[in-house]
Amino acid sequence: GENVEQHPSTLSVQEGDSAVIKCTYSDSASNYFPWYKQELGKGPQLIIDIRSNVGEKKDQRIAVTLNKTAKHFSLHITETQPEDSAVYFCAASIRSTLGRLYFGRGTQLTVWP
Amino acid sequence: ETGVTQSPTHLIKTRGQQVTLRCSSQSGHNTVSWYQQALGQGPQFIFQYYREEENGRGNFPPRFSGLQFPNYSSELNVNALELDDSALYLCASSLVSGAPTDTQYFGPGTRLTVL
């Protein structure tokens, strides 16, 4: 099956700085890569996703890049705010599995005011 | 909010007991997936239901079973509970229509504690 590695496990930044979280995947058949934000006591919330036919996608302060050759994808958050503090998960999915998600272990992001 | 609801919010059971968790999928969605999230870990896929049939299972024993109903709501049943079953159980719904739409929307989860 697919194996998703995520780094770093913890990330602390000052408010206004940028944060970058990186993930790698092992199965070249993976074609869908979502990112989820999970706040304490809540379920994961989809914040952005990218498909394998696209190299980059941006939504306001959040962007995701995908390098299919190297099998890695990254989440970029600019102008971080304290409310961005949460655990972020990357995931990968193979179309033939009807969207079964393989998750990374998560990154605890803390934004200090 | 995603429109995916789960019940109950919290549950405490003892070893050997059985538990049923429930999920109502987002309106218009036909697929439900269940995940187990241990403390400090990413969610792990348990199984998925599509058109009321199990469609794929992760590395979980047969004492984890499920159902999907005609209205696309779903249940997760766990028999002979073990201490390691303590976790947050997440339900995610999605629409599978043949188009490239695999986006899964998660509910708030059920926190199960096994004593």
Side-chain angles (χ1 to χ4, degrees), chain B residues 38-88:
Chain B
L39 205 59
Q41 304 291 321
Q44 297 290 317
F45 177 78
I46 302 174
F47 45 55
Q48 181 182 77
Y49 278 83
Y50 172 60
R51 292 182 176 174
E52 301 179 52
E53 293 195 0
E54 185 179 296
N55 178 68
R57 169 180 281 264
N59 190 25
F60 283 83
R63 59 190 185 83
F64 285 78
S65 63
L67 284 172
Q68 186 182 31
F69 301 100
N71 65 355
Y72 302 121
S73 65
S74 178
E75 286 183 355
L76 165 65
N77 299 288
V78 187
N79 294 321
L81 284 167
E82 300 177 0
L83 297 179
D84 284 349
D85 295 334
S86 295
L88 181 68

Side-chain angles (χ1 to χ4, degrees), chain A residues 36 38 51 95 98-99 101, chain B residues 35 37 48 55 99 102 104:
Chain A
Y36 288 88
Q38 188 173 29
R51 301 186 187 280
R95 173 66 181 167
L98 286 185
L101 294 173
Chain B
Y35 294 81
Q37 186 177 23
Q48 181 182 77
N55 178 68
D102 297 308
Q104 293 192 21

